[in-house]
Amino acid sequence: MSRKENNENNQNNEQLNNTSPDTHDNGEKVNEKELLRKYDRESNTRSNIGKWAWVVTFLAIYLTLFHLYTGYYGTLQSQIQGAVHVGTALGLIYLLYPAKKGLHDRGIPWYDVILAFTAIFVGYYKIIFFDQILNARIHGYETLDVLVAILGVLLLLEATRRAVGLPIVIVAGFVILYALYGNIIPTQMMSHRGFSFERVMTDLWYRENAIFGIPVQVSSRFIFLFLLFGVILVHSGIGKFFNDLAFALTGRFTGGTAKAAVSASAMQGMVSGSSIANTVSSGSFTIPMMKRARFRPEFAAAAEASASTGGQLMPPIMGAAAFIMIEYTNTDYTTIMLAALIPAMLYFAGIFMGAHYEAKKQGIFGAPKEMLPNTWQLLKKKGYMLLPLIAIVSTLFMGFTPQRAALMGILVAFGVSLISKETRMSVRKIFFVLEQGARVALPVIAAVATAGIIAGVVGMTGLGGKVAAGIIALSNDIQLLALIFTMIACIILGMGLPTTANYVVTATIAAPALINGFGVEVLAAHLFVFYFGIVADITPPVCLAAYAGSGIAKSNPFKSGLTAVKLAIAAFIIPYIFVYNPILVQAGDHSIIMLLLAVVTALLGMMGVSSSVMGYFQRKCYVWERFVLIAAGLMLITPNIYIDLAGILMIALVWYLQTRRPDDKQSYEPVSA
């Protein structure tokens, strides 16, 4: 690059801290709340609660304190624990979420107050008449029991529609119809005789394997506490420390602003559990910085969205669905963390490579060293803010439950916030955090409870086995085709279902087909469906995380989604890698050398694929070079040393030819990315 271009780039970089993090380049303020309401159904809460504010505050703080109490002293009997968890959450949803999207600025209508207290009653009915309901399973339910069950299911579906969205309600409604009228699917393989309306409703509401089954139990024991932990990190200032640390570590390298944005969003995304919310909150700061560094608006939006989405893949927190994976795989959380670690590192390595190649192509250097925080000074001054994450990881590795680890993280995070006057929370702020902890959990509780309907019907009707048999038959016993069909199903479901609910559905229906039909390792199969449920947030046409980032970047939403797919291309490849090479999820017998070899070849494969889709390697790529690079990258997926060597040689050939080529601008017109 010429001295003139270098000076221009430095001038652009010097503007990095001259603009407020919540403004665009033109000074227009980013309205985070409006963006979230537009793209994230979970954030569409009422802004005008009026006289009912004290009821909302009381119920929310009560729900949070209940989970802290049971987390420390031990959870209650599963049905009672679930009844408090779901019943209180449903009441809060009717008070906080309007029936229609545009009514958030109006007060709470009388009918929502009635619905709220009715929802609380039907939830707590299981506690009030606990012994009676247990006996009714043997002797039959009374009319009031049946009526409460019907109300409970209907109120849950409506609350989920408000807080999460319509798609998951449609799926749940479909499976209820299937339970009632098995012949709605005119296929001999899928049909069953159907159950009575009373049987379906009471089984869904009162049995342990449906609404109040594994997903709700995991939510009430683990997920709520980890979501509260994320809220404390944000409101105690520890989240800002993550941002500063990310810029200190990566800001000086080529394309440093993009790499720092990816690092910061990954650290925050793993505890927030929401791709869209994290894209908006982090993106209001990182996206304008990337644009000022001369990254294209579409790229800035895509980088933030892909990193925020991938945060749910990163241990130790992994959003929320990973906790349900404990129960479905009968595996301890430490094993799941270790299994997810290498794939997550490969995912973010792919995004880093994409950001690097884009920066090289555009001639974007890193920020000047004097403008960035000093890593050692930052760690010396605020390194103690890493203690909450260290506490969680060490507690898990010591053999304690995720529940105890979450409690330890909450206590340490609160203690850390007291050290500095800047981060110290007042009594008022503590109550605010307790309320926010419950608010953040409401959509997750509604989603997992509704996913429990789907799991319950699968158990009642045997639908899961029939779908699994269908996948095997459709793929003609070819594993690759079965993986592709499963991937498509997970992405389609993920476009309308939250990650947690999507995982519950796919783990119940699709994962068994891969495990039982093709002998895929259990963790590899579950991580496969987990990955593709998550990347739906950045997969066009319904890529809501990319659309939210586009709202901040003022870019073309669809182009932002396509760019996000390019950046996160690793997420579409890595699941196939660890299915065919389960050593990457540390399954089976293997040596350290074999593991390192698998990681190295996977990284080289990511390099080939990433450089191909971004259109830049050592130079801008010709069309044939891009084909060679992507072919080489895909060859490195296969656990075969000869194919791996061929892929490495192909990448080396392109590297050699490009390094021998004169400067791009003087020699040829390359194909644009």
Side-chain angles (χ1 to χ4, degrees), residues 278-467:
N278 194 61
T279 298
V280 173
S281 59
S282 299
S284 62
F285 174 72
T286 59
I287 289 174
M289 289 187 69
M290 284 187 275
K291 288 177 67 179
R292 289 193 297 277
R294 292 193 297 135
F295 281 106
R296 294 176 293 116
E298 287 79 11
F299 180 88
E304 176 59 46
S306 56
S308 294
T309 299
Q312 296 179 73
L313 306 172
M314 178 62 74
I317 311 294
M318 297 175 66
F323 300 107
I324 300 176
M325 198 181 295
I326 297 172
E327 303 295 333
Y328 279 137
T329 61
N330 195 26
T331 308
D332 62 87
Y333 192 65
T334 305
T335 303
I336 291 175
M337 264 201 322
L338 292 173
L341 181 61
I342 293 175
M345 291 172 62
L346 292 174
Y347 174 87
F348 283 103
I351 298 179
F352 264 79
M353 290 174 187
H356 179 80
Y357 292 133
E358 176 72 11
K360 294 280 284 185
K361 185 168 64 175
Q362 301 296 333
I364 300 172
F365 295 137
K369 187 177 179 180
E370 59 272 13
M371 292 178 56
L372 297 169
N374 182 280
T375 305
W376 294 114
Q377 290 298 321
L378 182 64
L379 288 174
K380 186 177 177 181
K381 185 179 178 183
K382 295 184 177 181
Y384 62 86
M385 289 188 172
L386 291 172
L387 287 175
L389 287 179
I390 294 172
I392 286 177
V393 174
S394 58
T395 304
L396 288 169
F397 276 102
M398 288 168 63
F400 290 98
T401 64
Q403 190 174 36
R404 187 50 57 99
L407 275 177
M408 188 61 68
I410 289 169
L411 290 173
V412 174
F414 178 72
V416 161
S417 72
L418 299 177
I419 295 175
S420 170
K421 189 176 179 180
E422 313 177 334
T423 59
R424 194 172 300 141
M425 292 187 284
S426 63
V427 174
R428 185 184 183 91
K429 185 67 174 288
I430 291 172
F431 280 110
F432 173 78
V433 167
L434 292 175
E435 180 181 347
Q436 289 302 307
R439 284 184 175 230
V440 167
L442 296 180
V444 176
I445 296 171
V448 296
T450 303
I453 292 177
I454 301 165
V457 171
V458 168
M460 290 171 62
T461 63
L463 179 62
K466 295 165 187 174
V467 172

Side-chain angles (χ1 to χ4, degrees), residues 82-92 116 119-124 205 212 445:
V84 176
H85 186 67
V86 174
T88 311
L90 293 183
L92 281 168
I120 293 173
F121 169 73
V122 298
Y124 281 71
W205 192 250
F212 295 92
I445 296 171

Side-chain angles (χ1 to χ4, degrees), residues 16-245:
L16 286 177
N17 32 351
N18 292 336
T19 304
S20 172
D22 61 348
T23 58
H24 289 296
D25 296 339
N26 59 8
E28 180 186 349
K29 192 172 181 66
V30 176
N31 192 328
E32 291 186 24
K33 288 185 178 179
E34 287 304 315
L35 277 174
L36 284 171
R37 285 197 180 105
K38 182 176 181 181
Y39 296 110
D40 187 16
R41 181 75 184 191
E42 299 175 6
S43 301
N44 189 38
T45 54
R46 288 187 171 100
S47 55
N48 178 21
I49 303 175
K51 62 184 179 181
W52 295 101
W54 69 271
V55 177
V56 170
T57 300
F58 171 79
L59 289 174
I61 293 176
Y62 156 72
L63 186 60
T64 301
L65 292 177
F66 168 79
H67 285 90
L68 289 172
Y69 176 85
T70 56
Y72 184 78
Y73 289 103
T75 53
L76 306 177
Q77 200 277 342
S78 61
Q79 289 290 302
I80 296 175
Q81 179 90 10
V84 176
H85 186 67
V86 174
T88 311
L90 293 183
L92 281 168
I93 287 172
Y94 281 106
L95 293 174
L96 286 171
Y97 288 83
K100 294 179 66 175
K101 207 170 183 180
L103 303 178
H104 60 269
D105 56 347
R106 302 184 186 179
I108 304 175
W110 62 268
Y111 54 83
D112 274 352
V113 175
I114 293 175
L115 290 174
F117 286 101
T118 304
I120 293 173
F121 169 73
V122 298
Y124 281 71
Y125 182 85
K126 298 181 69 172
I127 301 173
I128 300 169
F129 301 101
F130 182 72
D131 292 332
Q132 176 184 319
I133 291 169
L134 285 180
N135 291 329
R137 294 180 182 177
I138 302 172
H139 304 294
Y141 295 99
E142 296 182 3
T143 303
L144 181 59
D145 299 335
V146 177
L147 180 61
V148 166
I150 295 169
L151 280 173
V153 173
L154 292 176
L155 287 169
L156 170 60
L157 291 173
E158 169 58 13
T160 305
R161 184 193 68 80
R162 294 186 183 199
V164 181
L166 191 58
I168 185 173
V169 177
I170 293 174
V171 175
F174 177 81
V175 298
I176 289 174
L177 287 175
Y178 180 72
L180 293 169
Y181 312 103
N183 57 1
I184 58 170
I185 304 178
T187 304
Q188 184 177 0
M189 181 185 67
M190 297 288 285
S191 61
H192 79 98
R193 295 178 61 183
F195 299 106
S196 69
F197 183 71
E198 177 181 328
R199 162 81 185 277
V200 172
M201 292 296 107
T202 53
D203 273 15
L204 291 178
W205 192 250
Y206 295 123
R207 297 283 179 177
E208 289 90 349
N209 60 348
I211 290 172
F212 295 92
I214 288 175
V216 161
Q217 292 309 313
V218 172
S219 176
S220 65
R221 283 184 287 153
F222 307 147
I223 296 175
F224 189 100
L225 293 175
F226 275 100
L227 293 175
L228 175 61
F229 172 70
V231 171
I232 292 176
L233 289 190
V234 171
H235 291 284
S236 64
I238 299 175
K240 183 179 182 302
F241 166 72
F242 286 166
N243 280 345
D244 293 340
L245 182 62

